Amino acid sequence: MGTRLTDSVMYAHLWATPELAAVFDERARLQSWCDILAGLARAQARLGIIPAASADAIAAARADALDMDYVAEQTRLTSHSTLGLIRGLMRVLPEHAREHVYFGVTVQDVTDTWFGVVMREVGTVVWRDLRALEASLLELAAAHRDTAMAGRTHGQPGAPVTFGLKAASWADEVRRHVERLRDGRDRWLVGQLGGAVGALGFFGPAATELRRMFCAEVGLADPGISWLTCRDRIADFGQLLAMVAGTLARIGAEVYELARPEIGELAEAAPPGAVSSITMPHKRNPEGSEHLDTLARLARSSAGVLTEGMVAAGERDGRAWKAEWAALPEVCLLTGAALALGRQLVTGLEVDAGAMAANLDRYGEALSSERVLAGLSSRIGKHRAQQLLHEVLREDGGDPGRGLVERGVVERGVASAADVRSWMQRPAIDTAATMVDTVLARAHAARDAEAAEWTSQRRWT
Amino acid sequence: MGTRLTDSVMYAHLWATPELAAVFDERARLQSWCDILAGLARAQARLGIIPAASADAIAAARADALDMDYVAEQTRLTSHSTLGLIRGLMRVLPEHAREHVYFGVTVQDVTDTWFGVVMREVGTVVWRDLRALEASLLELAAAHRDTAMAGRTHGQPGAPVTFGLKAASWADEVRRHVERLRDGRDRWLVGQLGGAVGALGFFGPAATELRRMFCAEVGLADPGISWLTCRDRIADFGQLLAMVAGTLARIGAEVYELARPEIGELAEAAPPGAVSSITMPHKRNPEGSEHLDTLARLARSSAGVLTEGMVAAGERDGRAWKAEWAALPEVCLLTGAALALGRQLVTGLEVDAGAMAANLDRYGEALSSERVLAGLSSRIGKHRAQQLLHEVLREDGGDPGRGLVERGVVERGVASAADVRSWMQRPAIDTAATMVDTVLARAHAARDAEAAEWTSQRRWT
Amino acid sequence: MGTRLTDSVMYAHLWATPELAAVFDERARLQSWCDILAGLARAQARLGIIPAASADAIAAARADALDMDYVAEQTRLTSHSTLGLIRGLMRVLPEHAREHVYFGVTVQDVTDTWFGVVMREVGTVVWRDLRALEASLLELAAAHRDTAMAGRTHGQPGAPVTFGLKAASWADEVRRHVERLRDGRDRWLVGQLGGAVGALGFFGPAATELRRMFCAEVGLADPGISWLTCRDRIADFGQLLAMVAGTLARIGAEVYELARPEIGELAEAAPPGAVSSITMPHKRNPEGSEHLDTLARLARSSAGVLTEGMVAAGERDGRAWKAEWAALPEVCLLTGAALALGRQLVTGLEVDAGAMAANLDRYGEALSSERVLAGLSSRIGKHRAQQLLHEVLREDGGDPGRGLVERGVVERGVASAADVRSWMQRPAIDTAATMVDTVLARAHAARDAEAAEWTSQRRWT
Amino acid sequence: MGTRLTDSVMYAHLWATPELAAVFDERARLQSWCDILAGLARAQARLGIIPAASADAIAAARADALDMDYVAEQTRLTSHSTLGLIRGLMRVLPEHAREHVYFGVTVQDVTDTWFGVVMREVGTVVWRDLRALEASLLELAAAHRDTAMAGRTHGQPGAPVTFGLKAASWADEVRRHVERLRDGRDRWLVGQLGGAVGALGFFGPAATELRRMFCAEVGLADPGISWLTCRDRIADFGQLLAMVAGTLARIGAEVYELARPEIGELAEAAPPGAVSSITMPHKRNPEGSEHLDTLARLARSSAGVLTEGMVAAGERDGRAWKAEWAALPEVCLLTGAALALGRQLVTGLEVDAGAMAANLDRYGEALSSERVLAGLSSRIGKHRAQQLLHEVLREDGGDPGRGLVERGVVERGVASAADVRSWMQRPAIDTAATMVDTVLARAHAARDAEAAEWTSQRRWT
């Protein structure tokens, strides 16, 4: 069994989805490497570099057939990243094809092309999940367009907002991630064929054409130039995922805080069978929300390693590159888990509009202070009004209306009692509703104009 | 004097450019805040929220006129980020305008809009510098299209590349940053008008129109919705700058290594007057290259703070937001310094093609092993060839030709001595040259199609 | 004016204390460098390396006398870190001493020794502040030894704790930092005299004795060996400070959450004159608590740069070293600000025992579930009891007593209604009080046994 | 198979040692958890909380007996971290013991105590490996006490050092880690028994005694107070490991650079069977050295997560705590791998004293400039000498002697040709040798005074 708790039988579900595990699982990875070698062989056969029969045999080789103990043993023996695999493959290939597998390429050609494949697979999932999440958030925003609640700044209830505004701000942030994913796609999804040092000397004049055909075979764009130590694509993709995880953690943080019983405005759906605490049976913990924060921390940390890796030296730099081996899958798996968890959280989110109204009422006297300030500002100037209200609230507690009356502001003819009452009519959420409408309109327009599937939009096929 | 060495009289030039210092300098920042308040006042006057005369007076107020000691004292006294500034402004404004400055807005409206302005100013510089850097790199690539040199992997000389290939790979990476900057621009360059909690309750029905007009006044796009705790724009911009710094550090790392006298292929231009070492007068250190790495470390670190800041709570979260106050300027200043330094480094770079050729010659016997491998592979199969060459080189040192002959490979009819000689004809750099051509062609096409100035392309004006 | 907001006239007080600013301020730094050069000159004079008169003149030179414009200009002109300073010093020194200042040393000898001085100065402040903070926390813990309140796990009220337990756990964590500071001191407080490459070739046979005397002159230990690229001391010190900032942020986070009006158990003291919000005059924000989190983020980020800097190459590595120039002062200043703010927060903390009791009462039925579980476990087994209570609470809401009665648990003779009542007697905080006593006792014992001043304990003088 | 490449069959050996994998492997972890539960049960039986027979049965339960599919399924079903394990245990326990396993404790009691065990196991390995590494480094230092080589600053050869000095500086840094490990041990190695919220309400008056006995049973110290959200121990331990990895990466970086064929002073031992490159058969890459850097990057990144986790809220904070589940094992495994690799690297290191001498000779004219500077300084003053030499070297290239003669310095009576020759006698490494002696002496003294085994020194048993 593995040593990483993130990969354990008991807890793996917290740190990856089955769908993405199926991308990164060792057998899946090896199959993907075999597919890449098959694509290479096919391209080489078409160019006459290796016999067609060999290419067919190589394309027929399955990772499942590999003797993993032998592969691993040879990997350790040779201290080489893929020589164990090559020797393993040679054992399962027919004699005639053995010399033609992995022909003229290096580890990075396989693993970097795999990174291209990985970004394609993961990006496709992220695109789908972001758009599904956005759809749920847009529904929430529409449903709660007019659900008033206390805004909270610095952890303190303030002037009113709507829950729809909150959901719309989440949706708007998610939309920007969708756009970033759209914009970055063609920069990321490239293959690698660089050979020993990126100059492709091994293949002679056929090299450029081989790279073009190889990339087409594996469904990636031709980068036009080797990128052995150009790691900006990896860093960029990883940082975007970390940002996606950050957005999900922001949603989680909100649920976590508003699910406090003392506030009680939001709650996670409680799955049947779930037990929050075995020592405190009454508990119903916002564990999904909480875990989104955990995932974002780790994703951020791994993404940082990828940006650090951009400072790579010469034509191959194992220091940076091997760190990506650990960090890129990590950020993909963690963000994938966050997206799945986030979708589930948003879909099942319980919004208690009654509690929102009650809290607004409870803190309402004070909460109306922005409106009272606006009203009073129109009479005595904004900064004077602010100063006056500040004193009133400081000394008299939560009721600016009573404070103003008691201080004779009303009597002095500055404002009538009716004025103060009218200013205190809560909540002032019309503009919030307009913002929700704006976000809904532009999100739906954008969604209608774009493909449901990420890769269906690629310009390079 | 300041406490940060990065801002010291002696060393500030290492950590910022005068141009960007002029964006972030305290007076400049305050002037920018005044401009934002002026834009707000103008928009408010047009909507009849405040008198036109007040707006004119507010627009005429200059940061230079502020009594900074008073502003600072009031800032400390009130523990409020802008109340000191407001009080300072009220002192310099005519009586009639005092109540109309900073009318109905909050700190974040000013500082987040300033962030929008900052991203516009900095992005404009980065766009210009990236494109200038790219131009220099393309020139280098073209000039050294056929300058052969040893590729180096894992720090060890390997098969040949060209210096042009290296420069082209830098240019290609820079181009992707240019594209990222292009793609992100309209997401970043927005104003903020959210009021107390983002719902803009203060302004009543005029709020949406006010925000639109305010943003237009300050030359930013209207975000459509408040983004008080949506910090993805800041994180995204910051991470891109950190990546730009990473690319420059990569170039610097290459110069640093290849400027070792033992290699001697590259050198920084030595500015007149520069003294590398006072205890070792002979030294000529690659200090610019080195400093690029320093700048990238720090930029990366600050950018990480920005991504962490995305997990913001409620309608305002000072924990995340105030960290941006330190981190966003930092990453801008550091990356700006890196770009200026990087441009200077590349422009003055001394390329010693003779040393490159000599090193290639010195390590050439072994360096040709990729070609020998290719040739031998065509006779006895690739993996057999690899195994054989591995043994030969392991035992006989650097000359595969002699080794093969001595082992009788030639005699056994596998390959003739002439074959081996022809395989060893160095260097195999034709494909490298083709890659250079590809990069040059697409870079020039992209450059021709785009505006020289970043903001001239904005779609939102 | 400076470009870093952290150093601005308006906001510098948020990011440093005057006390530590006086350590890092440019003039102070230069004076410290002058002091180091004076110590060097004195040691050299005693060994006959330079004339005593020169040493006297050098010791008399003040940073205030330097023409900073000239120093800065020469720094830029020579691209050398201290040649500008040297030239500046030569201008203020008498002719006879000019050639004897900065004799035979390099930049790192000055700046690394300054780092030793900085760690001494900062460590002294941190030691004092940690112990003062601890004293306040111990007082809080003693005062609230029996103040019951709801424990909160995953943001949800659970079984009871005491506020004293919380304060004791903070104090205990602070104590460990005190111990770390004690243990690390002698590893950190060393001078540097390494010359060009660490071998001190310049000084010939006198070198070792010179280093010993120089270190004694500047009040630091002799490292015994040059440590030009051994940066573990810097990283270790920086990480400890970041951990200290983390502890303060933990205290701040607790105040921030429990100061929510919906909870209302803690509040920051409101300084007279403070204005939380100008648009919402009723607000009283936990801005100190919040800022502790901001400071911890930035301190952590800078400390990370220091650990990264440990991977330094050769005998001098500007990449790592210059990053320390920015990062070490940063982490010191930020943590110093956090300590001052944290001390103020804890000293002024308003603890509302009534609100704590009321919340415990409000959530009490459920909160007693741990005790009910214990009681019921003694009758029907722990896991059965947990399962039963889980169902009762899930279906019947918050009152386990009623649920158990209704389900006939009592009737079935498992437990009497009196049993259930007795289990529900809240709160079970006796052990919490014992823990407080333990922490108090060992903290006071440790405090009594140690010096109030950090450096008074040094073993190396 | 797992999804993390670090845990893959092919590559796991690169990211962990078998020894530490045996600590973190899922079965091993579960066995450790069972042992902890056994210790708890034994302590509870001694206090009469559960029957002795139950304790015996619980102590006899083996993780191997668990039906992992069932455990995992129940973990997912209940969304609870250990309820699946409890249910799995209940299946393998005799009826009478089932209700007495995991009695009154929470997840963190098990997992935090396991962290204590983990730190003990890992710390023991790290202590042993650091001391073994130190021993090898001390041998290297002694063997090469007088092996002169060029010092290199900013990547450029400078004045001479010795290889012994370099090795001694590594050893000295390692010694400080040994001391840190010694100092931190008693702070780290504690158990956790906090129950629901840290107040241990479940156990009534027996709680404190139970904790004491439980900790003794599992071989850890009694913390005296619950530390559910006091995570400084974890962060501190993790950061120390990251620093250890940093030191190893520094050694690796040196080997990497000096193993460049253009320098050729150091080489990694080439294990039989190892293949550096399959496309370039001549290559012999410093892959161990390189990998040390990779490991340090990742260890640093994970350690950062641990420090971030110190800012934990309330009495349990899953956000921070669950991140530790991923990050603490990671930093342990990576650093363990680094130590094993580092020991191997140092033990097998090939030091080419001839190449060192040749390089010193090659760059020697210039390298002697520090000595020439010293000599000339004694005649014309240090700064004048520096200026003169700077000009000479700038214009005349590498030979200061010739330059001085040509400029008439000698003729003008300042120095004779013999003087210059004598100054240029290289290398001036006597002080370097003295430093080596110092480090050797104090390291051996410290080693003699300390136990070979980390935990044998604990004061708390």
PDB file of all heavy atoms in Angstrom, chain D residues 80-101:
ATOM      1  N   HIS D  80     -16.883  10.132   8.176  1.00  0.00           N
ATOM      2  CA  HIS D  80     -16.182  10.318   9.442  1.00  0.00           C
ATOM      3  C   HIS D  80     -14.816   9.646   9.334  1.00  0.00           C
ATOM      4  O   HIS D  80     -14.691   8.563   8.796  1.00  0.00           O
ATOM      5  CB  HIS D  80     -17.007   9.706  10.589  1.00  0.00           C
ATOM      6  CG  HIS D  80     -16.447  10.033  11.943  1.00  0.00           C
ATOM      7  ND1 HIS D  80     -15.431   9.323  12.507  1.00  0.00           N
ATOM      8  CD2 HIS D  80     -16.766  11.006  12.831  1.00  0.00           C
ATOM      9  CE1 HIS D  80     -15.142   9.844  13.698  1.00  0.00           C
ATOM     10  NE2 HIS D  80     -15.943  10.858  13.922  1.00  0.00           N
ATOM     11  N   SER D  81     -13.812  10.299   9.873  1.00  0.00           N
ATOM     12  CA  SER D  81     -12.442   9.842   9.626  1.00  0.00           C
ATOM     13  C   SER D  81     -12.120   8.493  10.250  1.00  0.00           C
ATOM     14  O   SER D  81     -11.288   7.748   9.741  1.00  0.00           O
ATOM     15  CB  SER D  81     -11.440  10.880  10.155  1.00  0.00           C
ATOM     16  OG  SER D  81     -11.613  12.104   9.522  1.00  0.00           O
ATOM     17  N   THR D  82     -12.719   8.173  11.385  1.00  0.00           N
ATOM     18  CA  THR D  82     -12.348   6.908  12.030  1.00  0.00           C
ATOM     19  C   THR D  82     -13.524   5.974  12.315  1.00  0.00           C
ATOM     20  O   THR D  82     -13.311   4.888  12.846  1.00  0.00           O
ATOM     21  CB  THR D  82     -11.611   7.170  13.374  1.00  0.00           C
ATOM     22  OG1 THR D  82     -12.405   8.050  14.161  1.00  0.00           O
ATOM     23  CG2 THR D  82     -10.231   7.746  13.159  1.00  0.00           C
ATOM     24  N   LEU D  83     -14.735   6.382  11.977  1.00  0.00           N
ATOM     25  CA  LEU D  83     -15.859   5.490  12.291  1.00  0.00           C
ATOM     26  C   LEU D  83     -15.787   4.212  11.453  1.00  0.00           C
ATOM     27  O   LEU D  83     -16.160   3.125  11.906  1.00  0.00           O
ATOM     28  CB  LEU D  83     -17.189   6.233  12.080  1.00  0.00           C
ATOM     29  CG  LEU D  83     -18.417   5.634  12.761  1.00  0.00           C
ATOM     30  CD1 LEU D  83     -18.143   5.247  14.209  1.00  0.00           C
ATOM     31  CD2 LEU D  83     -19.588   6.627  12.706  1.00  0.00           C
ATOM     32  N   GLY D  84     -15.270   4.338  10.256  1.00  0.00           N
ATOM     33  CA  GLY D  84     -15.063   3.142   9.445  1.00  0.00           C
ATOM     34  C   GLY D  84     -14.087   2.196  10.132  1.00  0.00           C
ATOM     35  O   GLY D  84     -14.314   0.986  10.217  1.00  0.00           O
ATOM     36  N   LEU D  85     -13.018   2.761  10.649  1.00  0.00           N
ATOM     37  CA  LEU D  85     -12.026   1.948  11.362  1.00  0.00           C
ATOM     38  C   LEU D  85     -12.649   1.305  12.606  1.00  0.00           C
ATOM     39  O   LEU D  85     -12.440   0.119  12.877  1.00  0.00           O
ATOM     40  CB  LEU D  85     -10.842   2.826  11.755  1.00  0.00           C
ATOM     41  CG  LEU D  85      -9.806   2.175  12.676  1.00  0.00           C
ATOM     42  CD1 LEU D  85      -9.114   1.006  11.979  1.00  0.00           C
ATOM     43  CD2 LEU D  85      -8.768   3.210  13.126  1.00  0.00           C
ATOM     44  N   ILE D  86     -13.414   2.081  13.339  1.00  0.00           N
ATOM     45  CA  ILE D  86     -14.055   1.545  14.554  1.00  0.00           C
ATOM     46  C   ILE D  86     -14.958   0.373  14.202  1.00  0.00           C
ATOM     47  O   ILE D  86     -14.901  -0.691  14.823  1.00  0.00           O
ATOM     48  CB  ILE D  86     -14.861   2.660  15.259  1.00  0.00           C
ATOM     49  CG1 ILE D  86     -13.911   3.743  15.787  1.00  0.00           C
ATOM     50  CG2 ILE D  86     -15.716   2.085  16.381  1.00  0.00           C
ATOM     51  CD1 ILE D  86     -14.614   4.995  16.293  1.00  0.00           C
ATOM     52  N   ARG D  87     -15.745   0.576  13.177  1.00  0.00           N
ATOM     53  CA  ARG D  87     -16.642  -0.514  12.766  1.00  0.00           C
ATOM     54  C   ARG D  87     -15.848  -1.727  12.303  1.00  0.00           C
ATOM     55  O   ARG D  87     -16.217  -2.872  12.563  1.00  0.00           O
ATOM     56  CB  ARG D  87     -17.620  -0.011  11.693  1.00  0.00           C
ATOM     57  CG  ARG D  87     -18.604   1.000  12.280  1.00  0.00           C
ATOM     58  CD  ARG D  87     -19.655   1.489  11.289  1.00  0.00           C
ATOM     59  NE  ARG D  87     -20.521   2.474  11.972  1.00  0.00           N
ATOM     60  CZ  ARG D  87     -21.419   3.253  11.362  1.00  0.00           C
ATOM     61  NH1 ARG D  87     -21.605   3.159  10.055  1.00  0.00           N
ATOM     62  NH2 ARG D  87     -22.159   4.105  12.066  1.00  0.00           N
ATOM     63  N   GLY D  88     -14.763  -1.459  11.614  1.00  0.00           N
ATOM     64  CA  GLY D  88     -13.908  -2.572  11.191  1.00  0.00           C
ATOM     65  C   GLY D  88     -13.310  -3.284  12.391  1.00  0.00           C
ATOM     66  O   GLY D  88     -13.246  -4.523  12.428  1.00  0.00           O
ATOM     67  N   LEU D  89     -12.909  -2.525  13.382  1.00  0.00           N
ATOM     68  CA  LEU D  89     -12.332  -3.123  14.583  1.00  0.00           C
ATOM     69  C   LEU D  89     -13.391  -3.941  15.331  1.00  0.00           C
ATOM     70  O   LEU D  89     -13.101  -5.032  15.837  1.00  0.00           O
ATOM     71  CB  LEU D  89     -11.773  -2.038  15.506  1.00  0.00           C
ATOM     72  CG  LEU D  89     -10.373  -1.536  15.154  1.00  0.00           C
ATOM     73  CD1 LEU D  89     -10.025  -0.293  15.961  1.00  0.00           C
ATOM     74  CD2 LEU D  89      -9.328  -2.650  15.397  1.00  0.00           C
ATOM     75  N   MET D  90     -14.593  -3.398  15.406  1.00  0.00           N
ATOM     76  CA  MET D  90     -15.642  -4.103  16.128  1.00  0.00           C
ATOM     77  C   MET D  90     -15.900  -5.484  15.523  1.00  0.00           C
ATOM     78  O   MET D  90     -16.232  -6.427  16.211  1.00  0.00           O
ATOM     79  CB  MET D  90     -16.905  -3.253  16.183  1.00  0.00           C
ATOM     80  CG  MET D  90     -16.699  -2.039  17.110  1.00  0.00           C
ATOM     81  SD  MET D  90     -18.107  -0.910  17.196  1.00  0.00           S
ATOM     82  CE  MET D  90     -19.193  -1.860  18.273  1.00  0.00           C
ATOM     83  N   ARG D  91     -15.701  -5.568  14.229  1.00  0.00           N
ATOM     84  CA  ARG D  91     -15.884  -6.864  13.560  1.00  0.00           C
ATOM     85  C   ARG D  91     -14.840  -7.898  13.968  1.00  0.00           C
ATOM     86  O   ARG D  91     -15.091  -9.093  13.902  1.00  0.00           O
ATOM     87  CB  ARG D  91     -15.800  -6.684  12.050  1.00  0.00           C
ATOM     88  CG  ARG D  91     -17.053  -6.101  11.433  1.00  0.00           C
ATOM     89  CD  ARG D  91     -16.986  -6.328   9.943  1.00  0.00           C
ATOM     90  NE  ARG D  91     -18.272  -6.073   9.319  1.00  0.00           N
ATOM     91  CZ  ARG D  91     -18.516  -6.289   8.023  1.00  0.00           C
ATOM     92  NH1 ARG D  91     -17.556  -6.772   7.242  1.00  0.00           N
ATOM     93  NH2 ARG D  91     -19.696  -6.046   7.516  1.00  0.00           N
ATOM     94  N   VAL D  92     -13.653  -7.417  14.282  1.00  0.00           N
ATOM     95  CA  VAL D  92     -12.595  -8.386  14.601  1.00  0.00           C
ATOM     96  C   VAL D  92     -12.411  -8.564  16.108  1.00  0.00           C
ATOM     97  O   VAL D  92     -11.670  -9.454  16.533  1.00  0.00           O
ATOM     98  CB  VAL D  92     -11.241  -7.988  13.961  1.00  0.00           C
ATOM     99  CG1 VAL D  92     -11.366  -7.923  12.439  1.00  0.00           C
ATOM    100  CG2 VAL D  92     -10.733  -6.676  14.519  1.00  0.00           C
ATOM    101  N   LEU D  93     -13.079  -7.731  16.874  1.00  0.00           N
ATOM    102  CA  LEU D  93     -12.963  -7.857  18.326  1.00  0.00           C
ATOM    103  C   LEU D  93     -14.004  -8.845  18.856  1.00  0.00           C
ATOM    104  O   LEU D  93     -15.080  -8.981  18.278  1.00  0.00           O
ATOM    105  CB  LEU D  93     -13.193  -6.500  18.996  1.00  0.00           C
ATOM    106  CG  LEU D  93     -12.058  -5.479  18.876  1.00  0.00           C
ATOM    107  CD1 LEU D  93     -12.504  -4.141  19.445  1.00  0.00           C
ATOM    108  CD2 LEU D  93     -10.805  -5.981  19.580  1.00  0.00           C
ATOM    109  N   PRO D  94     -13.677  -9.501  19.947  1.00  0.00           N
ATOM    110  CA  PRO D  94     -14.700 -10.320  20.600  1.00  0.00           C
ATOM    111  C   PRO D  94     -15.830  -9.416  21.101  1.00  0.00           C
ATOM    112  O   PRO D  94     -15.602  -8.243  21.435  1.00  0.00           O
ATOM    113  CB  PRO D  94     -13.958 -10.978  21.764  1.00  0.00           C
ATOM    114  CG  PRO D  94     -12.747 -10.129  21.992  1.00  0.00           C
ATOM    115  CD  PRO D  94     -12.402  -9.540  20.667  1.00  0.00           C
ATOM    116  N   GLU D  95     -16.991  -9.975  21.148  1.00  0.00           N
ATOM    117  CA  GLU D  95     -18.198  -9.250  21.556  1.00  0.00           C
ATOM    118  C   GLU D  95     -17.964  -8.371  22.784  1.00  0.00           C
ATOM    119  O   GLU D  95     -18.310  -7.190  22.805  1.00  0.00           O
ATOM    120  CB  GLU D  95     -19.305 -10.290  21.856  1.00  0.00           C
ATOM    121  CG  GLU D  95     -20.559  -9.722  22.461  1.00  0.00           C
ATOM    122  CD  GLU D  95     -21.590  -9.360  21.389  1.00  0.00           C
ATOM    123  OE1 GLU D  95     -21.749 -10.148  20.438  1.00  0.00           O
ATOM    124  OE2 GLU D  95     -22.211  -8.289  21.497  1.00  0.00           O
ATOM    125  N   HIS D  96     -17.332  -8.934  23.797  1.00  0.00           N
ATOM    126  CA  HIS D  96     -17.223  -8.232  25.077  1.00  0.00           C
ATOM    127  C   HIS D  96     -16.368  -6.967  24.998  1.00  0.00           C
ATOM    128  O   HIS D  96     -16.481  -6.080  25.844  1.00  0.00           O
ATOM    129  CB  HIS D  96     -16.658  -9.170  26.153  1.00  0.00           C
ATOM    130  CG  HIS D  96     -15.203  -9.525  25.943  1.00  0.00           C
ATOM    131  ND1 HIS D  96     -14.166  -8.760  26.387  1.00  0.00           N
ATOM    132  CD2 HIS D  96     -14.628 -10.561  25.293  1.00  0.00           C
ATOM    133  CE1 HIS D  96     -13.010  -9.310  26.049  1.00  0.00           C
ATOM    134  NE2 HIS D  96     -13.261 -10.413  25.376  1.00  0.00           N
ATOM    135  N   ALA D  97     -15.515  -6.920  23.989  1.00  0.00           N
ATOM    136  CA  ALA D  97     -14.581  -5.788  23.932  1.00  0.00           C
ATOM    137  C   ALA D  97     -15.062  -4.685  23.007  1.00  0.00           C
ATOM    138  O   ALA D  97     -14.509  -3.588  23.005  1.00  0.00           O
ATOM    139  CB  ALA D  97     -13.208  -6.279  23.470  1.00  0.00           C
ATOM    140  N   ARG D  98     -16.057  -4.989  22.223  1.00  0.00           N
ATOM    141  CA  ARG D  98     -16.425  -4.061  21.147  1.00  0.00           C
ATOM    142  C   ARG D  98     -16.777  -2.668  21.635  1.00  0.00           C
ATOM    143  O   ARG D  98     -16.441  -1.680  21.006  1.00  0.00           O
ATOM    144  CB  ARG D  98     -17.604  -4.630  20.347  1.00  0.00           C
ATOM    145  CG  ARG D  98     -17.168  -5.774  19.476  1.00  0.00           C
ATOM    146  CD  ARG D  98     -18.283  -6.357  18.648  1.00  0.00           C
ATOM    147  NE  ARG D  98     -17.819  -7.660  18.147  1.00  0.00           N
ATOM    148  CZ  ARG D  98     -18.596  -8.626  17.719  1.00  0.00           C
ATOM    149  NH1 ARG D  98     -19.928  -8.463  17.729  1.00  0.00           N
ATOM    150  NH2 ARG D  98     -18.089  -9.751  17.301  1.00  0.00           N
ATOM    151  N   GLU D  99     -17.495  -2.614  22.734  1.00  0.00           N
ATOM    152  CA  GLU D  99     -17.926  -1.293  23.204  1.00  0.00           C
ATOM    153  C   GLU D  99     -16.787  -0.550  23.926  1.00  0.00           C
ATOM    154  O   GLU D  99     -16.958   0.600  24.317  1.00  0.00           O
ATOM    155  CB  GLU D  99     -19.141  -1.424  24.126  1.00  0.00           C
ATOM    156  CG  GLU D  99     -20.401  -1.906  23.424  1.00  0.00           C
ATOM    157  CD  GLU D  99     -20.949  -0.902  22.399  1.00  0.00           C
ATOM    158  OE1 GLU D  99     -20.579   0.284  22.494  1.00  0.00           O
ATOM    159  OE2 GLU D  99     -21.697  -1.308  21.497  1.00  0.00           O
ATOM    160  N   HIS D 100     -15.661  -1.241  24.091  1.00  0.00           N
ATOM    161  CA  HIS D 100     -14.602  -0.620  24.889  1.00  0.00           C
ATOM    162  C   HIS D 100     -13.416  -0.128  24.082  1.00  0.00           C
ATOM    163  O   HIS D 100     -12.458   0.404  24.636  1.00  0.00           O
ATOM    164  CB  HIS D 100     -14.124  -1.610  25.965  1.00  0.00           C
ATOM    165  CG  HIS D 100     -15.233  -2.025  26.873  1.00  0.00           C
ATOM    166  ND1 HIS D 100     -15.522  -3.335  27.170  1.00  0.00           N
ATOM    167  CD2 HIS D 100     -16.186  -1.293  27.515  1.00  0.00           C
ATOM    168  CE1 HIS D 100     -16.572  -3.398  27.965  1.00  0.00           C
ATOM    169  NE2 HIS D 100     -16.999  -2.172  28.192  1.00  0.00           N
ATOM    170  N   VAL D 101     -13.505  -0.343  22.793  1.00  0.00           N
ATOM    171  CA  VAL D 101     -12.436   0.170  21.952  1.00  0.00           C
ATOM    172  C   VAL D 101     -12.755   1.626  21.605  1.00  0.00           C
ATOM    173  O   VAL D 101     -13.916   1.991  21.466  1.00  0.00           O
ATOM    174  CB  VAL D 101     -12.286  -0.689  20.673  1.00  0.00           C
ATOM    175  CG1 VAL D 101     -13.457  -0.505  19.713  1.00  0.00           C
ATOM    176  CG2 VAL D 101     -10.968  -0.359  19.959  1.00  0.00           C
TER     177      VAL D 101
END
